[in-house]
Amino acid sequence: MSILITGGAGYIGSHTCVELLKANYDIVVYDNYSNSQPESLARVKELAGKDFPIYEGDIRDTKRLAEVFNVEKIDAVIHFAGLKAVGESCVKPLEYYDNNIGGTVKLLQIMRNAGCKRIVFSSSATVYGSENEVPFNENMKVGGTTNPYGTTKLYIETILKDLYSSDNTWSISILRYFNPIGAHESGRIGENPNGIPNNLMPFIAQVAVGKRPVLSVFGNDYETKDGTGVRDYIHVVDLADGHVKAVTRLLTKTGLDIYNLGTGIGYSVLDIVKTFEKVNNIEIPIQIAPRRAGDIAVCYADAQKAKVELGWTAQRNLDDMCRDTWNWQKNNPDGY
Ligand code: NAD
Ligand code: WQD
């Protein structure tokens, strides 16, 4: 079985490629390298000890993408390609709507024309908005996103639901990721943000390696055990394994299913800092800063549905996430 991976050179995509190859799937990667480098895929090949075709291209380039479906036999698509910086999406909403929503619509049209109707989509816990109570489960009402990035995920979920209503021969798996962190245990692939990291763990890693002097903790007056924000951090290799399970299920059934991929455990910002310090024996200087606009206090998953239906649960704990992040960062201080 052959899987097309859009955005396969990126952080989650590259880890998923390794796990798919390990599970004996054939893969084809399509990426425009707008937020990644070809080197990540060279390392995927090295880690898996296998070769696979790579196409440099944009999902909005219908001619190029259609060519891939003509040349390769594609049984299903895992669709990671998209822009993901929350702050940037507020400055450039049209670019986000065009790339994420426009790109996905084009991909779906080409898939339909090629008769390939199986897709796994990268959604986000951000679609739960700020009104639901934790733990978030898949039956809760979605909406109330606080930035254009989140809204693109919400709209794409709606587009996929409408598509399935119009044609129930599609197999669609919407995966709502919580907070992916960590790296492959080899330290060869990992998260490689451009510029100043927006997310907590890459920022901590850059403080640890001496690139940034101090971590700003955004708010210590939330209604949480220590006042700092609480999130459901998930090891990226566990997340990758969730994709293998989701795509395997797609190959045998039609339908539209939504799954949370999280551990079900919430950790605060200070929990993360303390665990990173303990596991890696490195001090992370912090300063308390004002709350960040758009942040919610607490977010964690009810991860039962993925357990029951996909047979998937996260295997790696916070120590593993902190150790593997540092192993990647210290071996690749400047990324790829
Ligand atoms: P990433 O930026 O590392 O990977 C995305 C990849 O897509 C990059 O390689 C980029 O070059 C490529 N890409 C972007 N636009 C493209 C286009 N128009 N055509 C072709 N390729 C394109 O991001 P990631 O963290 O690996 O995230 C993967 C997906 O998961 C994204 O859709 C993201 O929104 C979603 N997601 C990520 C997180 C997270 O915290 N990392 C959480 C929830 C959901
Ligand atoms: C985690 C916690 C911050 C940085 C984002 C997106 C979401 C999804 C995952 C893509 C919060 C605090 C952070 C820092 C801090 N992405 N923090 N200092 O905001 O939960 O989720 O990434 O799909 O859509 O919104 O993740 O890592 O940015 O923040 O104190 O320098 O760390 O306030 O409590 P978030 P994050």
Side-chain angles (χ1 to χ4, degrees):
M1 287 289 175
S2 185
I3 318 293
L4 177 70
I5 321 287
T6 73
Y11 173 46
I12 305 169
S14 57
H15 289 82
T16 302
C17 288
V18 172
E19 298 310 305
L20 285 165
L21 291 166
K22 255 172 66 185
N24 281 324
Y25 281 103
D26 292 322
I27 63 169
V28 175
V29 170
Y30 190 86
D31 201 302
N32 67 359
Y33 300 122
S34 58
N35 196 37
S36 54
Q37 290 79 29
E39 176 63 15
S40 67
L41 293 172
R43 296 192 188 183
V44 168
K45 291 182 180 183
E46 163 204 304
L47 287 172
K50 288 183 183 169
D51 201 5
F52 51 86
I54 299 170
Y55 292 83
E56 180 172 355
D58 193 295
I59 49 170
R60 293 163 296 178
D61 181 347
T62 44
K63 200 161 157 253
R64 176 87 173 134
L65 191 53
E67 195 183 296
V68 176
F69 280 87
N70 279 334
V71 174
E72 308 285 346
K73 183 188 155 297
I74 306 291
D75 296 293
V77 175
I78 303 183
H79 177 33
F80 293 106
L83 301 175
K84 64 160 184 179
V86 169
E88 185 186 60
S89 78
C90 300
V91 181
K92 299 178 176 175
L94 296 181
E95 278 77 1
Y96 273 67
Y97 289 125
D98 178 42
N99 196 70
N100 294 6
I101 300 179
T104 302
V105 170
K106 289 198 165 119
L107 169 67
L108 292 168
Q109 285 168 331
I110 286 166
M111 289 176 66
R112 181 192 56 196
N113 296 346
C116 173
K117 297 188 180 177
R118 300 185 186 111
I119 185 166
V120 176
F121 173 63
S122 300
S123 191
S124 168
T126 192
V127 301
Y128 288 111
S130 54
E131 300 300 319
N132 286 305
E133 284 192 11
V134 285
F136 297 152
N137 73 60
E138 294 86 347
N139 297 323
M140 286 175 165
K141 206 165 163 262
V142 291
T145 46
T146 52
N147 56 78
Y149 164 74
T151 306
T152 68
K153 295 295 175 190
L154 191 66
Y155 287 176
I156 295 167
E157 287 201 3
T158 307
I159 290 166
L160 290 169
K161 288 171 193 165
D162 288 344
L163 177 62
Y164 181 70
S165 303
S166 75
D167 176 358
N168 62 16
T169 64
W170 278 83
S171 306
I172 299 173
S173 190
I174 294 174
L175 304 181
R176 293 181 180 155
Y177 314 157
F178 281 68
N179 289 58
I181 60 171
H184 191 269
E185 63 177 6
S186 63
R188 294 292 289 156
I189 56 173
E191 188 167 11
N192 185 27
N194 277 327
I196 302 172
N198 301 303
N199 299 112
L200 179 63
M201 190 53 114
F203 203 105
I204 291 176
Q206 291 201 1
V207 173
V209 84
K211 286 192 157 186
R212 320 238 162 238
V214 59
L215 170 75
S216 293
V217 174
F218 298 143
N220 66 349
D221 56 353
Y222 287 107
E223 278 188 33
T224 61
K225 62 172 185 175
D226 59 21
T228 66
V230 167
R231 298 289 183 273
D232 184 336
Y233 296 92
I234 172 172
H235 196 295
V236 66
V237 177
D238 282 329
L239 190 66
D241 181 46
H243 290 74
V244 177
K245 298 260 178 7
V247 83
T248 302
R249 185 170 159 93
L250 274 194
L251 294 170
T252 60
K253 71 176 276 293
T254 56
L256 181 145
D257 293 299
I258 302 179
Y259 299 105
N260 285 340
L261 294 184
T263 63
I265 304 169
Y267 287 109
S268 73
V269 176
L270 297 182
D271 287 333
I272 304 296
V273 172
K274 283 179 198 146
T275 307
F276 191 98
E277 290 183 324
K278 176 197 77 179
V279 171
N280 299 315
N281 202 17
I282 296 174
E283 200 191 326
I284 304 295
I286 63 167
Q287 65 188 12
I288 304 301
R291 290 182 179 194
R292 184 174 64 178
D295 272 355
I296 60 174
V298 184
C299 169
Y300 60 90
D302 175 340
Q304 278 308 302
K305 189 175 172 200
K307 182 176 181 184
V308 173
E309 293 188 13
L310 298 179
W312 174 90
T313 45
Q315 301 297 311
R316 293 162 182 82
N317 64 23
L318 189 58
D319 285 11
D320 299 324
M321 300 181 217
C322 291
R323 188 197 55 237
D324 291 341
T325 298
W326 178 231
N327 188 36
W328 152 255
Q329 184 72 65
K330 74 172 182 236
N331 286 306
N332 305 269
D334 298 314
Y336 288 110

